[in-house]
């Protein structure tokens, strides 16, 4: 066999942020990673994803401290089939800066890339004040509406959403997008706000929008607007404010109820939704879809929807009861994920479902037959087709490749926003919502993009949202 440990040298310009280094584990099969993925002290980004490599192995991305790297170097010296590689990281100075001041405070509306000459570059990422001002500026400039959500965050922030395209009747809104649930995934709010602003500006002047090699006609733009778009650009304002001021790759919110220092602060909002939240009960003991440990990046909170941000996110469905399609905007894995995320899909046994207590203790193991999550075949087709069209549209922009895949991938999650959205129909008898998660950005898992990457992300996602909305409209909004 080859050498057991292949720790590559970082070379010139390497800088580590927050004392975490991006690494890849490599092994011949995904099941080699089973123990790793069960270890909730490891940061795998949004969810652990094992990808096939060109040499018939699989790679698993993670962010580790130096002492964790040392630990796994020693550990895998005894397991020749798993290797650990460092990934190249960017110089800190090449990261897109966070805006200083407020570009939108005077009511200046953010201008997306769809109406600007090719090669135009937006130089900085919106800070929290800029996001809030941008929401107000878009509403005022184009006569769109805002809604303040009922709960204040742990640090006292109010949360405002924007709804555009279908007037003031909230039952005419069918598309819901949210961003920045994970604080460090920079650029999510920017992607959403620049796209909305582009749609409204194009509608006003009757022009088309161009993103790289993709152009959308005014008829397509008006069709998307009239589907009614609800946008929640900043789901985790406390976490984003902290991440932007510390560059610490902060993911969770800032609730100190379960821990008051360091990594024990905060709840992973994307494990806090009321979908199989109590994973210790609902999942197999050998699945690790979330964590009960406050210091884990996937800490599930103190109860289903215990967090104000989660409650606010859920309240949007109640305010806009006809939402049919939901998209949660994350980074960075270059894929589009569709339901379900708790186990593999199956369309034959409707009683084998997330509500059935008879299957408690069996969920969440990919590749077994003890449990697979029920999805009616038409729903499976609809979710997969829309994600596939979205990924294809993003590829066609000209930047990079995006892969559509089922959320569960190789490892399960509990309490995620996309599964919660889709579960409401069965759990609560509410309108059916197809939930999906976009992981924009390069597959390398770089949360802090360079200016070039940040602008490519805006182009990719603007086209991606257009494709998603057009495909959703084609499937149906009611
Ligand atoms: C990847 O697979 C090849 C065989 O295709 C093997 O020789 C090699 O050692 C594997 N690399 C790693 C890092 O596991
Ligand atoms: C989990 O990983 C840590 C390093 O992050 C290691 O110290 C610990 O022993 C691992 N736990 C298990 C159960 O393997
Ligand atoms: C789109 O433009 C038309 C024509 O100018 C206008 O009447 C309509 O209000 C605009 N729609 C939105 C959502 O701004
Ligand atoms: Zn995420």
């Amino acid at each position: 066999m080859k050498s057991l440990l292949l720790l590559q040298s970082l070379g010139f310009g390497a800088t580590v942020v927050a004392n975490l280094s991006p690494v890849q584990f490599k092994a011949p099969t995904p099941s080699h990673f089973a123990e790793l993925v069960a270890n909730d002290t490891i940061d795998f980004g949004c969810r652990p994803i094992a990808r096939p490599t060109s040499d018939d192995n699989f790679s698993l991305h993670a962010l580790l401290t130096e002492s964790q790297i040392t630990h796994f170097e020693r550990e895998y010296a005894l397991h020749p089939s798993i290797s650990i590689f460092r990934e190249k990281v960017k110089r800190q100075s090449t990261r897109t800066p966070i805006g200083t001041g407020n570009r939108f405070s005077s009511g200046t509306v953010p201008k997306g890339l769809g109406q600007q000459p090719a090669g135009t570059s937006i130089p900085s990422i919106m800070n929290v004040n800029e996001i809030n001002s941008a929401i107000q500026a878009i509403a005022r400039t184009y006569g769109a509406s805002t809604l303040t959500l009922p709960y204040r965050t742990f640090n006292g922030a109010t949360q405002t959403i924007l709804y555009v395209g279908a007037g003031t009747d909230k039952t005419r809104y069918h598309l819901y997008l949210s961003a920045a649930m994970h604080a460090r995934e920079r650029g999510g709010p920017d992607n959403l706000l620049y796209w909305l602003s582009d749609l409204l500006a194009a509608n006003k002047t009757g022009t088309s929008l161009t993103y790289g090699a993709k152009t959308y006609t005014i008829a397509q733009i008006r069709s998307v607007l009239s589907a009614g778009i609800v946008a929640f650009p900043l789901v985790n304002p406390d976490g984003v404010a902290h991440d932007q001021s510390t560059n610490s790759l902060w993911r969770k919110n800032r609730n100190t109820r379960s821990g008051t220092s360091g990594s024990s602060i905060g709840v992973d909002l994307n494990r806090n939704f009321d979908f199989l939240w109590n994973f210790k009960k609902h999942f197999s003991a050998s699945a690790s879809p979330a964590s009960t440990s406050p210091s884990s990046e996937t800490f599930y909170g103190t109860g289903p929807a215990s967090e104000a941000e989660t409650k606010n996110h859920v309240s949007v469905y109640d305010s806009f009861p006809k939402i049919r399609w939901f998209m949660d905007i994350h980074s960075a894995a270059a894929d589009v994920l569709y339901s379900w995320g708790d186990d593999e899909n199956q369309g034959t046994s409707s009683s084998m479902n997330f509500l059935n207590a008879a299957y408690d203790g069996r969920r969440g193991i990919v590749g077994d037959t003890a449990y697979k999550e029920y999805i009616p075949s038409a729903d499976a087709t609809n979710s997969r087709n829309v994600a596939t069209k979205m990924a294809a549209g993003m590829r066609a922009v000209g930047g990079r490749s995006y892969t559509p895949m089922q959320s569960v991938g190789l490892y399960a999650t509990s309490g995620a926003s996309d599964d919660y959205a889709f579960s409401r129909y069965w759990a609560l008898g509410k309108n059916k919502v197809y939930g999906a998660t976009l992981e924009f950005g390069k597959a390398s898992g770089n949360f802090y993009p360079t200016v070039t990457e940040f602008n490519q992300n805006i182009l990719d996602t603007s086209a991606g949202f257009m494709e998603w909305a057009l495909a959703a409209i084609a499937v149906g909004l009611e």
Side-chain angles (χ1 to χ4, degrees):
M1 286 295 291
K2 291 175 76 173
S3 72
L4 313 182
L5 291 173
L6 299 162
L7 278 175
Q8 294 173 334
S9 84
L10 285 170
F12 172 76
T15 315
V16 167
V17 279
N19 303 317
L20 288 172
S21 304
V23 302
Q24 282 195 22
F25 295 98
K26 200 170 172 191
T29 71
S31 58
H32 281 76
F33 301 134
E35 264 184 52
L36 266 178
V37 169
N39 187 326
D40 67 8
T41 68
I42 304 172
D43 184 344
F44 292 107
C46 293
R47 354 166 109 86
I49 297 173
R51 298 172 181 283
T53 64
S54 53
D55 62 1
D56 288 334
N57 296 296
F58 285 82
S59 75
L60 174 68
H61 176 81
L63 293 154
L64 301 186
T65 62
E66 290 306 308
S67 72
Q68 286 176 317
I69 292 175
T70 306
H71 167 83
F72 288 113
E73 284 173 4
R74 294 206 185 105
E75 175 89 4
Y76 292 136
L78 310 168
H79 293 273
S81 50
I82 306 185
S83 315
I84 176 169
F85 297 84
R86 278 184 205 261
E87 288 173 1
K88 292 230 161 60
V89 279
K90 299 279 185 215
R91 280 169 79 90
Q92 287 200 223
S93 60
T94 67
R95 277 192 262 137
T96 308
I98 305 299
T100 52
N102 188 334
R103 285 166 281 174
F104 315 113
S105 58
S106 56
T108 306
V109 78
K111 202 169 171 200
L113 294 178
Q115 298 199 109
Q116 303 198 60
T120 301
S121 178
I122 297 172
S124 60
I125 289 173
M126 291 185 205
N127 62 44
V128 168
N129 289 335
E130 287 184 318
I131 294 166
N132 291 328
S133 296
I135 291 170
Q136 298 302 334
I138 291 171
R140 272 201 305 275
T141 305
Y142 299 110
S145 305
T146 60
L147 179 70
T148 299
L149 302 178
Y151 302 90
R152 281 183 177 251
T153 66
F154 185 77
N155 286 341
T158 50
Q159 303 200 270
T160 302
I161 61 168
L162 190 59
Y163 55 107
V164 306
T168 53
D169 179 354
K170 296 195 183 70
T171 65
R172 294 181 55 221
Y173 284 77
H174 301 99
L175 307 176
Y176 177 20
L177 301 100
S178 62
M181 193 167 285
H182 287 151
R184 63 195 181 184
E185 296 167 13
R186 291 185 178 175
D190 308 63
N191 294 335
L192 182 49
L193 289 165
Y194 286 124
W195 175 61
L196 285 179
S197 182
D198 268 353
L199 291 177
L200 292 164
N203 173 63
K204 195 168 175 180
T205 52
T207 47
S208 59
L209 289 169
T210 296
Y211 302 107
K214 293 293 290 186
T215 292
Y216 297 94
T217 65
I218 184 63
Q220 289 174 311
I221 291 159
R222 291 197 168 131
S223 156
V224 167
L225 277 170
S226 62
I229 305 166
V230 183
F232 188 176
L234 184 58
V235 175
N236 181 6
D238 298 351
V240 169
H242 181 73
D243 180 68
Q244 293 190 340
S245 63
T246 59
N247 292 322
S248 56
L249 290 172
W250 192 259
R251 164 182 170 114
K252 302 185 283 180
N253 74 1
R254 295 292 298 166
N255 190 342
T256 59
R257 177 167 167 196
S258 303
T260 54
S261 67
S263 64
S264 71
I265 295 172
V267 171
D268 181 357
L269 299 174
N270 210 24
R271 299 293 184 279
N272 186 241
F273 284 78
D274 189 6
F275 173 77
L276 297 172
W277 176 84
N278 186 359
F279 68 92
K280 289 283 180 197
K281 174 176 163 201
H282 299 303
F283 283 70
S284 158
S286 48
S288 308
S291 175
T292 59
S293 164
S295 60
S296 170
E297 292 290 3
T298 55
F299 177 48
Y300 73 162
T302 50
S306 56
E307 304 311 291
E309 299 87 342
T310 315
K311 290 190 176 88
N312 279 337
H313 198 284
V314 168
S315 79
V316 172
Y317 296 109
D318 299 322
S319 297
F320 298 85
K322 294 294 202 174
I323 288 171
R324 170 69 87 221
W325 298 88
F326 165 64
M327 171 65 59
D328 206 15
I329 303 165
H330 290 252
S331 74
D335 48 40
V336 184
L337 307 172
Y338 52 87
S339 299
W340 293 98
D342 64 312
D343 210 310
E344 289 160 285
N345 285 351
Q346 55 89 13
T348 49
S349 171
S350 61
S351 65
M352 191 189 275
N353 67 59
F354 66 95
L355 294 170
N356 191 342
Y359 293 99
D360 282 353
R362 301 202 210 170
R363 298 184 179 88
I365 305 297
V366 172
D368 71 350
T369 52
Y371 187 82
K372 292 179 195 292
E373 189 60 56
Y374 176 65
I375 182 167
S377 67
D379 289 340
T381 304
N382 290 342
S383 340
R384 187 178 56 243
N385 286 353
V386 171
T388 302
K389 288 204 171 125
M390 179 171 182
M394 294 176 82
R395 275 196 299 276
V397 169
R400 32 176 119 96
S401 153
Y402 283 83
T403 311
M405 57 173 110
Q406 196 193 320
S407 298
V408 74
L410 295 157
Y411 314 102
T413 46
S414 55
S417 63
D418 48 4
D419 281 337
Y420 170 74
F422 193 42
S423 76
R424 285 171 58 91
Y425 174 76
W426 291 278
L428 306 173
K430 304 282 189 183
N431 202 43
K432 187 178 285 177
V433 181
Y434 293 110
T437 297
L438 166 65
E439 295 273 0
F440 70 83
K442 284 205 276 199
S444 61
N446 181 17
F447 298 121
Y448 294 173
T450 63
V451 172
T452 305
E453 288 165 354
F454 172 59
N455 282 272
Q456 188 66 49
N457 291 341
I458 295 172
L459 293 172
D460 290 357
T461 56
S462 296
F465 301 148
M466 288 298 295
E467 298 289 336
W468 171 75
L470 291 166
I473 292 164
V475 171
L477 300 176
E478 296 277 353

